Amino acid sequence: CNYHGTCTERQCGCDLSENDGYPLYTGIHCEFSRPCLQLVGDGDDRWNILPIEKIDYEFTSWNAYGRGVYKYAWGGNVTIPEDDALLLTYSGSRWFGSYYEGANQKGRDDWLHYAKEYHAFWDEVYKENTQYVSNPTDRSEPIAVDFFTIGRRGAKYGPLGELVPLREPVGTGYFECPPLGMLIGDFVSEILEKEGVS
């Protein structure tokens, strides 16, 4: 458990914070630090970590490849239909910002099944519904990672399409974690309430 938890019956239980009781690490081997709960992009776009459930005071977020999944909340120059969702998921080598039609109409069980079976290649997240992509990274969060919008597509532009930087100069990253993004307590409750998780 990377000295960040306790192994019981070959499963890691990550250490909890003495301050708020939430896990200090995530991942099947407690290999990642606690994720930022809200990302802020350079376009002032806000993305909240996507919760799955809250049992007592334990908060569980949807994970892909051991990393938290973020849902677009507001701000920036983004317009999406009310029933759809724009999610930021890790693919094993890159972060993808993809539209999911009708996502806000799906129930908890649908999302739990999808999260359990999620696979970036088989789910074809790099195809038409993906609008944003990061540089390759193995970081646990999309902080300080360059992002691109996907422009024209076709053989001329490679497997992901034409990559247009979201921020110039390249190498300066796009997202940051505001101080509020690391606070748990009331902020988690607010996210859970907005997502209809109790």
Side-chain angles (χ1 to χ4, degrees):
C1 299
N2 293 301
Y3 301 103
H4 296 149
T6 306
C7 183
T8 306
E9 296 181 21
R10 304 184 86 175
Q11 289 197 323
C12 290
C14 301
D15 291 339
L16 303 177
S17 167
E18 292 179 8
N19 295 329
D20 57 30
Y22 289 95
L24 293 169
Y25 300 92
T26 64
I28 59 171
H29 300 293
C30 304
E31 66 267 37
F32 303 119
S33 296
R34 174 191 291 186
C36 179
L37 297 178
Q38 184 181 75
L39 303 173
V40 178
D42 284 340
D44 201 32
D45 43 324
R46 307 292 171 128
W47 301 70
N48 293 333
I49 199 155
L50 185 61
I52 292 177
E53 61 188 344
K54 181 180 177 185
I55 300 172
D56 296 325
Y57 292 100
E58 187 69 23
F59 162 68
T60 303
S61 66
W62 177 23
N63 285 290
Y65 296 91
R67 277 88 166 165
V69 172
Y70 295 88
K71 181 178 178 187
Y72 169 77
W74 72 88
N77 190 19
V78 179
T79 304
I80 58 173
E82 188 176 316
D83 289 344
D84 299 348
L86 179 57
L87 303 180
L88 195 61
T89 57
Y90 189 69
S91 68
S93 64
R94 295 178 186 262
W95 289 86
F96 286 122
S98 304
Y99 283 98
Y100 289 82
E101 284 188 42
N104 288 331
Q105 301 303 314
K106 292 188 178 187
R108 177 183 166 274
D109 291 340
D110 292 330
W111 281 115
L112 285 172
H113 177 72
Y114 185 78
K116 186 176 181 180
E117 299 295 326
Y118 174 82
H119 188 281
F121 180 77
W122 299 118
D123 290 327
E124 299 183 329
V125 295
Y126 57 89
K127 296 273 181 147
E128 298 298 320
N129 64 333
T130 295
Q131 302 298 312
Y132 306 100
V133 65
S134 76
N135 263 344
T137 182
D138 61 359
R139 296 177 61 102
S140 62
E141 298 176 312
I143 310 292
V145 177
D146 287 332
F147 274 81
F148 306 86
T149 58
I150 298 175
R152 295 171 285 188
R153 298 178 190 259
K156 174 180 177 181
Y157 303 105
L160 297 173
E162 176 185 34
L163 301 181
V164 181
L166 279 175
R167 179 169 192 211
E168 297 283 352
V170 172
T172 54
Y174 183 75
F175 288 110
E176 65 179 330
C177 184
L180 173 67
M182 289 306 293
L183 298 177
I184 303 285
D186 292 340
F187 187 69
V188 167
S189 297
E190 184 180 321
I191 293 173
L192 290 167
E193 185 177 313
K194 283 182 182 175
E195 293 300 322
V197 178
S198 56

